Amino acid sequence: MGGTFTDFTLLAEHTGELHYFKVPSTPHDPSEAIQAGLAHLMREHAIDGSELVHVGHGTTVATNMVIERRGSRTALVTTRGFRDVLEIGRQTRPHLYDYNVVKPEPLAPREWRFEITERIAADGSVLQPLDEDEVVAVARELAAARVESVSICFMHSYRNNAHERRTRDILAEHLPGIYLSVSSEILPEFREYERMSTTALNAYVGPRMAAYMRNLVNSVKDMGVATQPATVHSNGGLMSVESVLSAPVRTCVSGPPPA
């Protein structure tokens, strides 16, 4: 499914025949194009929804959302002293001495990046306990800013994610319905910039991807299709609906590359 067209391939397993079809994409709700194309194929080839044993789709929704900056109002909660890691990045850059390069704005602007007193050591031990009162105070600021999603990324949480999990629980309690992205669940690996930027990206695309996937599931179900749609992972594998809802960042660059 692309930004301009949504392409379909229908495989009849009993004969080996392949059928192709194409409809204009519907950017306001990408699931509408999928529903229209599936409905056409089912009518054209006299297929009942129960006969479809697999519905898989590659999607550029998350990729286009990032390129076009149409994601959610995203905040970042991180260890005190580290909120600018998202903007500083690392020394490894494609054009280190080119002064004409303009870096893209961070997905979580600085005024929506909040620091919490806590510290986990590289071995996973607790150097400084989580200040839960600060988390509650940040929750109030997030509510006042009307952010739609929050990324949580603490130092060395890949070794011990207790502070991240507790922060997630507090924010979920005070901000019901907000999309929460936790680095120890999205990318539990060392190097703070990679983990933080990936988690922020996940939060940025999360709410709109969730709405899109729910519409898709409901559309397919209403057509009598018993199987749940699978989504192509960025590495070429397949993701369940539940996986896409929790880690939509993994659908970036979903599907085969253009020829």
Side-chain angles (χ1 to χ4, degrees), residues 173-191:
E173 178 183 352
H174 288 81
L175 301 167
I178 200 166
Y179 189 92
L180 297 172
S181 177
V182 182
S183 79
S184 53
E185 298 173 354
I186 299 302
L187 191 70
E189 300 177 4
F190 86 118
R191 296 201 184 283

Side-chain angles (χ1 to χ4, degrees), residues 11-17 51:
L11 168 64
E13 289 185 305
H14 59 294
T15 64
E17 292 181 347
E51 295 181 85

Side-chain angles (χ1 to χ4, degrees), residues 46-153:
I47 298 171
D48 187 76
S50 60
E51 295 181 85
L52 290 176
V53 296
H54 173 72
V55 177
H57 84 302
T59 174
T60 62
V61 169
T63 305
N64 291 341
M65 204 183 303
V66 175
I67 293 172
E68 299 169 7
R69 290 301 179 111
R70 293 185 291 104
S72 304
R73 293 163 60 88
T74 303
L76 169 70
V77 176
T78 189
T79 306
R80 184 162 301 284
F82 287 86
R83 75 171 180 169
D84 289 324
V85 167
L86 188 63
E87 198 154 1
I88 295 171
R90 293 180 59 212
Q91 183 71 11
T92 304
R93 296 165 191 166
H95 305 287
L96 187 59
Y97 300 109
D98 187 347
Y99 293 103
N100 294 316
V101 171
V102 178
K103 293 178 62 177
E105 291 294 321
L107 298 179
R110 197 170 196 270
E111 62 269 25
W112 293 345
R113 300 200 296 262
F114 299 89
E115 298 179 337
I116 300 293
T117 301
E118 68 83 38
R119 191 62 181 265
I120 300 290
D123 62 0
S125 60
V126 177
L127 294 178
Q128 193 166 19
L130 175 69
D131 190 326
E132 296 190 5
D133 291 337
E134 287 188 5
V135 180
V136 173
V138 165
R140 296 193 186 101
E141 293 189 61
L142 292 170
R146 296 166 59 189
V147 300
E148 299 170 283
S149 61
V150 181
S151 50
I152 304 168
C153 183

Side-chain angles (χ1 to χ4, degrees), residues 1-2 4-8 21-40 212 216 219:
M1 189 188 66
T4 306
F5 291 106
T6 299
D7 300 278
F8 297 82
F21 186 61
K22 177 190 293 254
V23 299
S25 293
T26 50
H28 65 281
D29 182 358
S31 65
E32 289 186 9
I34 296 177
Q35 186 178 22
L38 279 179
H40 174 88
Y212 153 57
L216 174 60
S219 296

Side-chain angles (χ1 to χ4, degrees), residues 157-205:
S157 62
Y158 55 89
R159 293 300 301 271
N160 181 351
N161 67 356
H163 288 178
E164 283 195 348
R165 287 188 287 108
R166 180 57 184 151
T167 298
R168 176 195 59 199
D169 293 344
I170 293 173
L171 294 181
E173 178 183 352
H174 288 81
L175 301 167
I178 200 166
Y179 189 92
L180 297 172
S181 177
V182 182
S183 79
S184 53
E185 298 173 354
I186 299 302
L187 191 70
E189 300 177 4
F190 86 118
R191 296 201 184 283
E192 306 312 313
Y193 173 69
E194 285 80 353
R195 185 156 47 86
M196 185 180 292
S197 59
T198 304
T199 305
L201 183 58
N202 191 73
Y204 186 72
V205 302

